[in-house]
């Protein structure tokens, strides 16, 4: 029982990170229909920038994270403005090729600037606490709480503000959005900014319990794709629930099957769910 | 108020409208008639700024607006209720209407006012304000699309075949509503297949054939024109 509770807690931690990454991916897909393979590289950049801000500039963890959100958000905006916007009229394959190109570029860039070594990020929340028989580091609790706060803020932004609603509107009908006077280009840039910001948050939260290295985004982005396929491409609740389902299955799998196979679980789950419900769990109606 | 001079629009190498000249005076109802594929929607899309011009210029309140971005045109008061409605299907009726007021998003009381006006015009929308737009019937969606366009307080409202797919009784109501909208001071540009009904409320009209205007005149002139009667009224 205790092991189960402990695993449940761990699954919430990784699930939170997965959900944040998947949210950014699904937002961009829902609005611009771009499967952004470079999203994992944005995640990686987020990790490095937070780390650099802390080590080279001596910033506090939260300040470093804030800078990272801004920088990665800006990278997202630049990608939209100078890469994907130019490809809007081009065949969809070009978006995918461009995304892979950006991924390769950013990884080479990271390796050039920061080297290929694995680096550790020390968070100020490393202390171990025990509550009700559960043992964990504060960092893990912080991940869960921060992720939930971010998701609630994102929800309120999308639901309660006109700017947020314009993102939803554009995902449901791009032409409808321009007919009511929404500036499509601004919304596209904003979406990329939020997506990059979410990746930076996820990486900054997860890095203290993982490591920072140029390939740190690989497995995360693969799993994020699994999640948004599970949850229905472009679906926001799907990305959140999918992230936690995956975190949960991985933790249970690691405990009861084998830790070595936990990364395969995502893909087994994908096969099973797509067999049962090919459109994903939260697929939107036809557009 | 609105003037198209010598406007042409191409889709690739295909010319959809050729050297179109249209003039709309403030307060008028002007109707564009024409068979399927004649170029009515393309004309609307050009005015809205969704399609770029390949020739000519468009003036709105004496300012050249050809090639201006759609959102700028909505801000200036040129609003279109497009073919295919282009609603936000997974948003509720009320959310769709509120999005219609996007250009006035900072004026909360004004939005509330417009919302009440639209509900008064289309009571069924009030009844269904919590339903998803995608769950409405075709006629209700048409009303929602017009309602959403009205939420932006247009000076010039373009309605692309508002009567398409509606039951005859509803068509009649729809044209009454259109007249009412016009009485409130909104200039209307109407694309229609239903020539009889459209001309009965219009001030003047233009007849499109293969992307060109072949006949134009006051509503009475067009109703009396033998070619127009044969082609579009069936008598
Ligand atoms: N996106 C497009 N790409 C290529 N050709 C197009 C496109 N949209 C319209 N056309 C062509 O342009 C011509 C004019 O079309 P348009 O939609 O303006 O006609 P319409 O008068 O509105 O017809 P309807 O009454 O059927 O709505 C048609 O021949 C059509 O095939
Ligand atoms: Mg048409």
């Amino acid at each position: 029982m205790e092991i189960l509770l402990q695993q449940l807690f761990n699954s919430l931690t990784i699930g939170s990170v997965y959900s944040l990454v998947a949210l950014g991916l699904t937002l961009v897909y829902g609005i611009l229909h771009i499967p952004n393979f470079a999203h994992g590289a944005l995640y990686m950049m987020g990790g490095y920038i937070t780390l650099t801000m802390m080590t080279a500039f001596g910033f506090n963890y939260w300040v470093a994270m804030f800078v990272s959100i801004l920088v990665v958000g800006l990278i997202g905006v630049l990608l939209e403005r100078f890469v994907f916007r130019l490809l809007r009229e081009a065949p969809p394959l070009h978006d995918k090729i461009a995304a892979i190109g950006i991924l390769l570029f950013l990884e080479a860039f990271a390796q050039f600037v920061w080297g290929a070594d694995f680096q550790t990020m020390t968070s100020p929340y490393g202390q171990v606490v025990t509550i009700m028989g559960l043992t964990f580091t504060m960092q893990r609790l912080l991940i869960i709480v921060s992720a939930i706060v971010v998701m609630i803020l994102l929800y309120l932004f999308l639901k309660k503000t006109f700017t947020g609603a314009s993102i939803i509107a554009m995902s449901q009908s791009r032409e409808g959005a321009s007919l009511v006077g929404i500036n499509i280009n601004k919304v596209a840039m904003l979406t990329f900014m939020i997506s990059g910001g979410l990746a930076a948050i996820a990486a900054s939260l997860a890095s203290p319990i993982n490591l920072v290295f140029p390939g740190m985004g690989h497995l995360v982005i693969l799993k994020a794709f699994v999640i948004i396929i599970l949850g229905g491409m472009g679906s926001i609740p799907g990305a959140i629930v999918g992230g936690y389902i995956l975190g949960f299955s991985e933790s249970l799998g690691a405990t009861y099957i084998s830790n070595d196979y936990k990364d395969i679980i995502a893909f087994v789950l994908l096969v099973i769910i797509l067999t049962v419900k090919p459109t994903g769990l939260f697929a939107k109606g036809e557009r | 108020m609105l003037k198209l001079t010598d406007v042409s629009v191409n889709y690739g190498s295909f010319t959809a409208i050729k050297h179109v000249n249209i003039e709309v005076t403030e307060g008028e109802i002007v109707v564009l008639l024409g068979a399927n594929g004649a170029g009515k929607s393309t004309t609307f899309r050009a005015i809205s700024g969704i399609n770029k011009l390949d020739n000519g210029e468009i003036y709105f309140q004496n300012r050249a607006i050809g090639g201006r971005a759609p959102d700028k045109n909505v801000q200036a008061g040129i609003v279109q209720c497009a073919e295919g409605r282009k609603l936000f299907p997974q948003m509720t009726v009320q959310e769709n209407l509120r999005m219609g007021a996007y250009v006035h998003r900072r004026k909360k009381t004004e939005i509330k006012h417009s919302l009440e006006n639209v509900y008064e015009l289309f009571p069924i929308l009030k009844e269904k304000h919590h339903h998803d737009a995608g769950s409405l019937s075709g006629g209700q969606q048409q009303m929602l699309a017009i309602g959403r366009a009205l939420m932006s307080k247009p000076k010039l409202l373009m309605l692309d075949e508002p009567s398409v797919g509606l039951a005859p009784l509803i068509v009649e109501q729809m044209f009454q509503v259109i007249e009412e909208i016009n009485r409130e001071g909104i200039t209307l540009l109407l694309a229609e297949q239903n020539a009889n009904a459209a001309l009965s409320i219009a001030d003047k009209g233009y007849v499109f054939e293969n992307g060109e205007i072949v006949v134009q005149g006051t509503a009475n002139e067009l109703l009396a024109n033998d070619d127009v009667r044969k082609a579009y009224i069936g008598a």
Side-chain angles (χ1 to χ4, degrees), chain A residues 34-51:
Chain A
I34 299 169
N36 187 10
F37 300 119
H39 194 62
L42 293 178
Y43 174 85
M44 178 271 299
M45 290 299 288
Y48 270 113
I49 292 166
T50 304
L51 181 66

Side-chain angles (χ1 to χ4, degrees), chain B residues 9-12 14-17 33-45 51 83 160-161 191-193 208 210-211:
Chain B
V9 172
N10 302 337
Y11 293 110
F14 174 75
T15 304
I17 54 173
L33 300 172
N36 293 122
K40 307 179 294 294
S41 300
T42 303
T43 306
F44 278 12
R45 295 166 61 85
N51 285 349
E83 201 167 30
D160 200 342
E161 307 202 27
E192 261 300 336
Q193 306 271 354
F208 277 76
N210 296 322

Side-chain angles (χ1 to χ4, degrees), chain B residues 48-66:
Chain B
S48 272
I50 296 171
N51 285 349
K52 299 284 162 259
L53 309 186
D54 290 286
N55 187 53
E57 187 54 89
I58 300 176
Y59 299 90
F60 181 66
Q61 297 182 321
N62 299 320
R63 284 188 55 188
I65 61 160

Side-chain angles (χ1 to χ4, degrees), chain A residues 46-67:
Chain A
Y48 270 113
I49 292 166
T50 304
L51 181 66
T52 309
M53 289 302 137
M54 289 172 74
T55 53
F57 295 91
F59 285 1
N60 155 297
Y61 178 58
W62 296 106
V63 178
M65 190 190 296
F66 183 70
V67 174

